[in-house]
Amino acid sequence: MSTILFYVSFSRRSRDTETLMVAFKRQGHNVLFLNQQKNEQLHTLLRSHGISVHSFSTGSKGWLKHVINVVHLSFFCWNNNVDFVYSHLEPASFIGVLAQKFIRAKVYVCRHHGDLYSFMNRDKDLSYKITYRFASNIIVVSESTKK
């Protein structure tokens, strides 16, 4: 079976992601959870299903923060023999895309929004452009978002 890392930036619960993690665990996969934030409610729930829970937050800001996160994610994947990284939400997806060249795991970026980022003018952010220009694998949750 595979080792699957769910790499996220959640401050709240996410039922769809929780359901996926538990389903993969029940199928016999080794499921790991790495959050860029502390979230005790979600962490406790995942631990109750036998999912290994980790969090890592750097006090740095700007590009240094991103570099530290890429290095941490890369070492985490190598040390845990991760086969697949499922990144969820923009901050984690950006780091996942930057790290994909340094790890053997396949990185999957999950994209939920369609026009929301363009309405907020966030689609012009450099991190956003890099994420969706260089992501090797993108999971899109709806047909309208895919278009």
Side-chain angles (χ1 to χ4, degrees), residues 16-110:
D16 59 330
T17 305
E18 294 166 24
T19 303
L20 278 174
M21 286 186 274
V22 171
F24 282 130
K25 183 70 177 176
R26 285 185 181 151
Q27 290 175 354
H29 297 285
N30 179 24
V31 178
L32 307 171
F33 179 77
L34 177 58
N35 196 349
Q36 290 180 341
Q37 303 182 43
K38 291 210 182 264
N39 183 333
E40 283 309 315
Q41 180 186 23
L42 177 57
H43 294 183
T44 301
L45 173 84
L46 295 176
R47 281 188 197 105
S48 73
H49 289 284
I51 295 170
S52 180
V53 175
H54 309 271
S55 61
F56 178 78
S57 177
T58 174
S60 302
K61 297 190 185 279
W63 285 99
L64 180 60
K65 174 183 178 177
H66 299 312
V67 170
I68 292 169
N69 278 320
V70 168
V71 170
H72 181 265
L73 178 60
S74 299
F75 277 111
F76 188 92
C77 288
W78 281 105
N79 290 336
N80 291 285
N81 297 313
V82 173
D83 299 303
F84 301 97
V85 175
Y86 175 86
S87 64
H88 192 84
L89 297 182
E90 300 305 316
S93 293
F94 176 61
I95 300 304
V97 167
L98 293 178
Q100 70 187 352
K101 298 296 183 189
F102 305 109
I103 58 179
R104 68 174 183 81
K106 285 189 173 184
V107 176
Y108 290 85
V109 171
C110 184

